[in-house]
Amino acid sequence: MTDRAAAAVRWAALPAEVRERVDAELDQGRYASAFRLLREADGGIGIPLGRTIIEGRLPPAPPDPLADAEPLTGRVTGVDGPVLAVEAVRSAEGVDLLLTGADGTQVLTVVDAATAARYLRPGEPADGRPPVEAAADWLGRQAAAALGVPFRGIGGG
């Protein structure tokens, strides 16, 4: 049995009240308190297993902006002339991220529902925008920053 599988089994065996309290502590960033609750509920949970349980309860880390922007900025080589801006424009597929240069525009990438799921945590965005637009905004800003050009979001933002 893998460490993650063992952690999942131990987590599921804990009373619901303990699981809720551990999650509440983790939501507040109180990892030591969460670990203490685990140990009080199940004395057999040591540091390695407790750490695996806690890591499994945390949301995934946001993507690395530089790693995600690099493949996009690598596509710039085919553009004639300098890139002046990165723009986000609604399209039938989702949101197109465009490179705007002196000689026109080129599609850098299309952000769709699957792409948005990669870049957003569950429940995001909190501001009410559609997830596809929020993810395109985030990714477009990263690409623009990597290229050293302005970003124009949907609606000019």
Side-chain angles (χ1 to χ4, degrees):
M1 182 180 302
T2 67
D3 290 344
R4 288 185 186 180
V9 168
R10 290 298 267 278
W11 176 256
L14 293 171
E17 178 185 319
V18 171
R19 293 192 310 259
E20 290 170 10
R21 289 177 56 205
V22 168
D23 282 343
E25 291 298 311
L26 293 174
D27 287 344
Q28 297 298 316
R30 296 190 292 247
Y31 307 111
S33 295
F35 178 72
R36 181 181 45 77
L37 289 170
L38 288 172
R39 292 272 301 158
E40 288 172 359
D42 182 343
I45 296 177
I47 291 173
L49 182 57
R51 180 178 179 168
T52 303
I53 290 171
I54 288 171
E55 287 173 351
R57 304 302 306 155
L58 297 175
D64 176 14
L66 296 178
D68 289 321
E70 283 177 11
L72 294 179
T73 56
R75 297 180 193 175
V76 174
T77 56
V79 176
D80 292 330
V83 174
L84 304 175
V86 175
E87 295 183 77
V89 178
R90 285 185 192 96
S91 70
E93 293 82 27
V95 176
D96 292 348
L97 289 179
L98 307 173
L99 294 176
T100 302
D103 298 328
T105 61
Q106 172 181 323
V107 176
L108 183 60
T109 192
V110 176
V111 179
D112 57 15
T115 307
R118 271 186 62 208
Y119 294 104
L120 299 175
R121 292 183 176 141
E124 285 185 337
D127 60 8
R129 288 184 294 169
V132 170
E133 289 183 15
D137 184 75
W138 184 88
L139 192 56
R141 288 182 192 285
Q142 301 309 313
L147 294 167
V149 298
F151 173 70
R152 287 183 229 149
I154 294 174

